[in-house]
Amino acid sequence: MLISLTILAIVYFSLFFENGENSFLSNFRAWQFHFYLYNLFLFVYTLWHRRVFYSLLAVLLLCLNYTSLAKTTRLFFSQEGRSAQTIEVAYKKDAGSYNFLPQIAEQNISRQGKIDLSQNLFGFYKNINQDNKQLTIIVVTFSPKYKAEFQTALNNLKQFVEMQDGPVILVGNFGLPSWAPKFRAFLRQTRLDVKNRILYTDGKESFKFWFVPDINVLGFDNVGIKNIEMKNKTLYFDLTF
């Protein structure tokens, strides 16, 4: 118990100095939610064995990590929508076109196309007129092999979001968990929020626990999620806006 709690304390302390540039500390950051779950297990374990001091230390570490994660992450529950207007967005990993965005009648699509975000990273978008609202849906997939381009891609994606007149919904694999410093900065600058609970999937398999969760749905305050479903290696998000 003491060894495990000491290791967790060292990991959490090191995360205060992680800014996304140090690859070793970035690995700690990537697995931060897994550390949180292990911390939760340790808390229950120390309570079971009635080790009061260890329990207090475990709950202190648990609160510290939760505070860090909860700034940009919904741990176990997605944000519920308050609107009756819904739209289904499909995300298929490595999809090479905007066909996996909402299947909308052509007369309701004002624009659609590809967004070049860096030399090798891109996204697809549709501007949709639905229920007297203009909505922009963007789908991206950031491949880990182009990790050096993530910051450039996020900067260009931020500019594209700011150019839109109406609500924006962003769906995809961002190559980073939502608690990573670069991703936090992107959320703060765009004023977007993560809408989904943590998803343990790579976009192809429905559940992969030993996987850094980096698939997210982002939107403004009016966006919510009614349902998330995996079918035929495609994630379907039933969104309200």
Side-chain angles (χ1 to χ4, degrees):
M1 285 184 280
L2 181 59
I3 293 174
S4 293
L5 289 170
T6 301
I7 291 173
L8 283 178
I10 293 172
V11 169
Y12 293 167
F13 179 76
S14 68
L15 290 180
F16 282 105
F17 303 96
E18 197 272 321
N19 59 5
E21 304 301 329
N22 185 295
S23 58
F24 179 73
L25 294 182
S26 293
N27 288 328
F28 283 167
R29 180 72 72 184
W31 293 91
Q32 189 174 350
F33 184 68
H34 292 81
F35 286 126
Y36 174 82
L37 294 178
Y38 183 61
N39 196 160
L40 189 61
F41 163 76
L42 283 177
F43 174 59
V44 174
Y45 185 77
T46 54
L47 282 179
W48 178 264
H49 288 274
R50 301 179 181 179
R51 305 297 293 270
V52 177
F53 174 75
Y54 291 159
S55 296
L56 290 174
L57 181 56
V59 76
L60 174 62
L61 294 174
L62 196 64
C63 290
L64 286 173
N65 198 15
Y66 174 81
T67 301
S68 174
L69 288 169
K71 289 179 180 178
T72 54
T73 307
R74 297 182 177 274
L75 301 186
F76 303 108
F77 303 99
S78 300
Q79 178 174 329
E80 296 183 359
R82 298 187 296 268
S83 172
Q85 297 172 312
T86 63
I87 192 167
E88 184 181 69
V89 180
Y91 170 71
K92 186 176 180 65
K93 187 175 182 180
D94 303 325
S97 74
Y98 43 74
N99 293 331
F100 289 96
L101 275 69
Q103 299 303 305
I104 301 294
E106 287 297 325
Q107 62 267 26
N108 292 334
I109 301 173
S110 56
R111 291 181 62 191
Q112 64 181 11
K114 180 181 177 183
I115 318 166
D116 291 315
L117 300 172
S118 69
Q119 183 175 353
N120 296 289
L121 299 176
F122 52 86
F124 295 95
Y125 77 96
K126 284 184 181 179
N127 288 338
I128 300 166
N129 297 314
Q130 182 164 322
D131 298 323
N132 298 318
K133 287 185 178 181
Q134 180 170 307
L135 181 67
T136 301
I137 310 287
I138 306 170
V139 173
V140 300
T141 298
F142 288 1
S143 173
K145 64 181 179 180
Y146 302 122
K147 190 174 182 178
E149 300 179 21
F150 282 3
Q151 187 61 67
T152 299
L154 288 173
N155 290 341
N156 290 327
L157 186 58
K158 167 184 168 290
Q159 294 180 16
F160 186 81
V161 169
E162 291 174 340
M163 290 168 57
Q164 308 311 306
D165 295 328
V168 174
I169 296 175
L170 252 168
V171 180
N173 184 331
F174 295 87
L176 298 165
S178 60
W179 52 85
K182 291 179 181 178
F183 202 80
R184 282 181 173 173
F186 172 77
L187 293 174
R188 184 177 64 253
Q189 292 163 0
T190 57
R191 299 186 298 280
L192 294 168
D193 296 315
V194 174
K195 302 300 176 179
N196 56 280
R197 57 178 168 78
I198 290 179
L199 300 174
Y200 281 106
T201 175
D202 60 354
K204 292 184 177 180
E205 297 181 36
S206 58
F207 184 81
K208 290 187 69 173
F209 182 74
W210 301 112
F211 182 81
V212 177
D214 47 16
I215 295 178
N216 288 292
V217 176
L218 312 181
F220 296 115
D221 291 340
N222 61 320
V223 176
I225 296 180
K226 290 183 64 176
N227 187 48
I228 302 173
E229 185 178 8
M230 170 74 80
K231 294 186 298 185
N232 300 322
K233 296 185 178 181
T234 302
L235 269 172
Y236 291 88
F237 298 94
D238 193 10
L239 307 177
T240 63
F241 66 98

Coordinates of all heavy atoms in Angstrom, one line a residue, residues 45 57 85-86 88 92 97 106 115 119 122 146 149 153 155 167 184-185 189 199 202 207 232 236-237:
Y45 N -9.3 -0.4 -1.1 CA -8.4 -1.5 -0.5 C -8.0 -1.1 0.9 O -8.0 -1.9 1.9 CB -7.2 -1.8 -1.4 CG -6.4 -2.9 -0.9 CD1 -6.8 -4.2 -1.1 CD2 -5.1 -2.7 -0.3 CE1 -6.0 -5.3 -0.7 CE2 -4.3 -3.7 0.1 CZ -4.8 -5.0 -0.1 OH -4.0 -6.1 0.3
L57 N -4.4 9.3 2.9 CA -3.5 9.6 1.9 C -4.0 9.3 0.5 O -3.9 10.1 -0.4 CB -2.2 8.9 2.1 CG -1.0 9.1 1.1 CD1 -0.7 10.6 1.0 CD2 0.2 8.3 1.5
Q85 N -34.0 19.0 -30.6 CA -33.4 18.8 -32.0 C -32.2 17.9 -31.9 O -31.3 18.1 -31.1 CB -33.0 20.2 -32.5 CG -34.1 21.2 -32.7 CD -33.6 22.6 -33.0 OE1 -32.7 23.1 -32.4 NE2 -34.2 23.2 -34.0
T86 N -32.2 16.9 -32.8 CA -31.2 15.9 -32.8 C -30.5 15.7 -34.1 O -31.1 16.0 -35.2 CB -31.7 14.5 -32.3 OG1 -32.7 14.1 -33.2 CG2 -32.3 14.6 -30.9
E88 N -27.5 12.8 -36.0 CA -26.6 11.6 -35.8 C -25.3 11.9 -36.6 O -25.4 12.1 -37.8 CB -27.3 10.3 -36.2 CG -26.4 9.1 -35.9 CD -27.0 7.8 -36.3 OE1 -27.1 7.6 -37.6 OE2 -27.4 7.0 -35.5
K92 N -15.9 7.1 -38.3 CA -15.2 5.9 -38.7 C -13.7 6.2 -38.8 O -13.3 7.1 -39.5 CB -15.7 5.4 -40.1 CG -15.1 4.1 -40.5 CD -15.7 3.6 -41.8 CE -15.2 2.2 -42.2 NZ -15.5 1.1 -41.3
S97 N -13.2 10.6 -46.3 CA -14.2 11.6 -46.9 C -15.2 12.0 -45.9 O -15.2 11.5 -44.8 CB -14.9 10.9 -48.1 OG -15.9 10.0 -47.6
E106 N -29.2 17.0 -49.6 CA -28.3 18.0 -50.3 C -28.8 19.4 -50.2 O -28.0 20.3 -50.1 CB -28.2 17.6 -51.8 CG -27.3 16.4 -52.0 CD -25.9 16.6 -51.6 OE1 -25.4 17.7 -51.7 OE2 -25.3 15.6 -51.1
I115 N -10.6 20.1 -44.9 CA -9.8 21.1 -44.2 C -8.3 20.6 -44.0 O -8.1 19.6 -43.4 CB -10.3 21.5 -42.8 CG1 -11.8 21.5 -42.8 CG2 -9.7 22.7 -42.2 CD1 -12.4 21.5 -41.4
Q119 N 0.7 19.5 -42.8 CA 1.2 18.8 -44.0 C 0.5 17.4 -44.2 O 0.2 17.1 -45.3 CB 2.7 18.6 -43.9 CG 3.3 18.0 -45.1 CD 4.8 17.9 -45.1 OE1 5.4 18.4 -44.2 NE2 5.4 17.2 -46.1
F122 N -5.7 16.4 -41.6 CA -6.8 17.1 -42.2 C -8.1 16.7 -41.5 O -8.2 15.8 -40.7 CB -6.9 16.8 -43.7 CG -6.9 15.3 -44.0 CD1 -8.0 14.6 -44.1 CD2 -5.7 14.7 -44.3 CE1 -8.0 13.2 -44.3 CE2 -5.7 13.3 -44.6 CZ -6.9 12.6 -44.6
Y146 N 2.1 11.3 -36.8 CA 2.3 12.8 -37.2 C 2.2 13.6 -35.9 O 1.7 14.7 -36.0 CB 1.3 13.2 -38.2 CG 1.4 12.4 -39.5 CD1 0.3 11.8 -40.0 CD2 2.6 12.3 -40.2 CE1 0.3 11.0 -41.2 CE2 2.7 11.6 -41.4 CZ 1.5 10.9 -41.9 OH 1.6 10.2 -43.0
E149 N 3.0 17.3 -35.7 CA 2.2 18.2 -36.3 C 0.9 18.6 -35.5 O 0.1 19.4 -36.0 CB 1.8 17.7 -37.7 CG 3.0 17.4 -38.6 CD 2.6 16.9 -40.0 OE1 1.4 17.1 -40.4 OE2 3.4 16.2 -40.7
A153 N -1.8 21.6 -36.3 CA -3.2 21.2 -36.7 C -4.2 21.8 -35.7 O -5.2 22.3 -36.2 CB -3.3 19.7 -36.7
N155 N -3.9 24.5 -34.0 CA -3.9 26.0 -34.2 C -4.8 26.3 -35.4 O -5.6 27.2 -35.4 CB -2.5 26.5 -34.4 CG -1.7 26.5 -33.1 OD1 -2.2 26.4 -32.0 ND2 -0.4 26.6 -33.3
P167 N -23.3 27.4 -34.4 CA -22.8 26.4 -33.5 C -21.8 25.4 -34.3 O -22.0 25.1 -35.5 CB -24.0 25.7 -33.0 CG -25.1 26.6 -33.2 CD -24.8 27.4 -34.4
R184 N -6.1 21.0 -23.7 CA -6.7 21.9 -22.8 C -6.7 23.3 -23.3 O -7.6 24.1 -23.2 CB -6.1 21.8 -21.4 CG -6.5 20.6 -20.6 CD -5.8 20.7 -19.2 NE -6.2 19.6 -18.3 CZ -5.7 19.3 -17.2 NH1 -4.7 20.0 -16.7 NH2 -6.2 18.4 -16.4
A185 N -5.5 23.7 -23.8 CA -5.3 25.0 -24.4 C -6.3 25.2 -25.6 O -6.9 26.3 -25.7 CB -3.9 25.2 -24.8
Q189 N -9.2 28.1 -25.7 CA -9.2 29.1 -26.8 C -10.4 29.1 -27.6 O -10.9 30.2 -28.1 CB -7.9 28.9 -27.6 CG -6.6 29.2 -26.9 CD -5.4 28.6 -27.6 OE1 -5.6 28.0 -28.7 NE2 -4.2 28.8 -27.1
L199 N -14.2 7.4 -23.5 CA -14.5 6.3 -24.4 C -13.3 5.4 -24.5 O -12.3 5.9 -25.1 CB -15.0 6.8 -25.7 CG -16.2 7.7 -25.7 CD1 -16.4 8.3 -27.1 CD2 -17.4 6.9 -25.3
D202 N -10.8 2.5 -29.8 CA -9.9 3.1 -30.8 C -10.7 3.5 -32.1 O -10.1 3.9 -33.1 CB -8.8 2.1 -31.1 CG -9.3 0.8 -31.7 OD1 -10.5 0.6 -31.7 OD2 -8.5 0.0 -32.1
F207 N -14.5 -1.8 -27.1 CA -13.9 -1.6 -25.8 C -12.4 -2.0 -25.8 O -12.1 -3.2 -26.1 CB -14.6 -2.3 -24.7 CG -14.1 -2.0 -23.3 CD1 -14.5 -0.9 -22.7 CD2 -13.3 -2.9 -22.7 CE1 -14.1 -0.6 -21.4 CE2 -12.8 -2.7 -21.4 CZ -13.2 -1.5 -20.8
N232 N -20.5 -1.9 -36.7 CA -19.7 -2.1 -37.9 C -18.4 -1.3 -37.9 O -18.1 -0.6 -38.9 CB -20.5 -1.9 -39.1 CG -21.7 -2.8 -39.2 OD1 -21.7 -4.0 -38.9 ND2 -22.9 -2.2 -39.7
Y236 N -21.3 5.9 -33.6 CA -22.5 6.7 -33.9 C -22.8 7.6 -32.6 O -23.1 7.0 -31.6 CB -23.7 5.9 -34.3 CG -23.5 5.3 -35.7 CD1 -22.9 4.0 -35.8 CD2 -23.9 5.9 -36.8 CE1 -22.7 3.4 -37.0 CE2 -23.7 5.3 -38.1 CZ -23.1 4.0 -38.1 OH -23.0 3.4 -39.4
F237 N -22.9 8.9 -32.8 CA -23.2 9.8 -31.7 C -24.6 10.4 -32.0 O -24.7 11.1 -33.1 CB -22.1 10.9 -31.6 CG -20.8 10.4 -31.2 CD1 -19.8 10.1 -32.2 CD2 -20.4 10.1 -29.9 CE1 -18.6 9.6 -31.9 CE2 -19.1 9.6 -29.6 CZ -18.2 9.4 -30.6

